[in-house]
């Protein structure tokens, strides 16, 4: 009996010791992970010393800024043309779906029965033509809006406000009406600019006209000192 009691006591003592060691090990791992998550003051200072996009742009000089602006306008215009074309094709395809249910035979050949393959090919060709037409229109419209907006922003020194949209829309209206002559271009510019201005007054900034630097605000952040994080 004494041996059994001693063995039981030793087993409990060993179990308690293991639990204490496990608690100490868990606490040490938690402390180590917390220390690794907190950036050192040197790293934080290096991040704060990194130049912003606006500062890097100012260091380029007039020629460098002109090249950077041209590249930006080109990339924005090309991306908008591609995305607008894809969206226009999808919308045109949806709108042209009823075409797939109609026969492509003309009135002069109604008595002639086309084979199943020719009929399907004719319907798909008509559907694709309508979708491609919508894709071209949407691509031009999207590229014009985005490209002239980016061009206006660059010409105004990187300021981002409602006037970029207004001036860009005016240029878009003139560009899309270029085939109809100067009078139509002027009318298109006024119409597009006025419509954009009204939309901005109703749903945008409400006419405040506050400008901001899109290059800096996009990556703006606030750094909190380590002492205020509760570690």
């Amino acid at each position: 009996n004494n041996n059994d009691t001693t063995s039981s006591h030793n087993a409990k003592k060993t179990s308690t010791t293991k639990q204490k060691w496990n608690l100490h090990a868990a606490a040490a791992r938690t402390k180590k992970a917390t220390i690794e998550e907190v950036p050192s003051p040197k790293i934080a200072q290096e991040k704060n010393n990194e130049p912003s996009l606006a500062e890097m742009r100012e260091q380029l000089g007039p020629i460098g800024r002109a090249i950077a602006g041209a590249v930006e306008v080109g990339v924005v215009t090309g991306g908008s043309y591609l995305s607008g074309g894809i969206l226009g094709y999808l919308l045109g395809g949806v709108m042209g779906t009823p075409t797939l249910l109609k026969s492509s035979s003309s009135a002069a050949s109604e008595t002639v029965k086309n084979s199943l393959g020719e009929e399907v090919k004719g319907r798909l060709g008509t559907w694709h033509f309508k979708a491609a037409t919508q894709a071209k229109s949407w691509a031009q419209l999207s590229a014009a809006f985005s490209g002239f907006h980016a061009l206006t922003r660059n010409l105004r020194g990187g300021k981002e406000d409602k006037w970029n949209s207004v001036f860009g829309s005016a240029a878009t209206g003139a560009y899309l009406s270029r085939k109809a002559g100067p009078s139509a271009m002027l009318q298109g510019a006024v119409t597009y600019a006025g419509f954009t201005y009204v939309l901005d007054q109703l749903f945008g900034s409400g006419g405040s006209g506050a400008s901001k630097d899109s290059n800096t605000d996009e990556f703006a952040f606030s750094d909190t000192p380590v002492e205020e994080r509760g570690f």
Side-chain angles (χ1 to χ4, degrees), residues 199-220:
L199 287 180
D200 184 83
Q201 292 294 109
L202 295 177
F203 306 105
S205 60
S208 60
S211 63
K212 61 181 180 179
D213 192 341
S214 60
N215 294 329
T216 56
D217 289 350
E218 182 179 359
F219 300 97

Side-chain angles (χ1 to χ4, degrees), residues 92-172:
V94 172
M95 295 173 61
T97 300
T99 305
L100 298 175
L101 306 177
K102 295 180 181 180
S103 175
S104 61
S105 301
S106 61
S109 60
E110 288 181 354
T111 57
V112 180
K113 294 184 178 180
N114 295 329
S115 64
L116 180 61
E118 293 176 350
E119 183 68 22
V120 172
K121 184 178 180 180
R123 296 185 184 185
L124 288 177
T126 304
W127 175 85
H128 171 71
F129 176 78
K130 293 182 177 180
T133 301
Q134 290 292 329
K136 183 178 179 180
S137 299
W138 278 76
Q140 291 180 351
L141 183 64
S142 178
F145 267 111
S146 300
F148 284 120
H149 183 99
L151 178 61
T152 304
R153 183 177 63 247
N154 278 277
L155 292 177
R156 299 180 67 222
K159 293 182 179 180
E160 183 62 68
D161 55 19
K162 68 178 182 180
W163 298 113
N164 290 337
S165 299
V166 174
F167 295 146
S169 297
T172 300

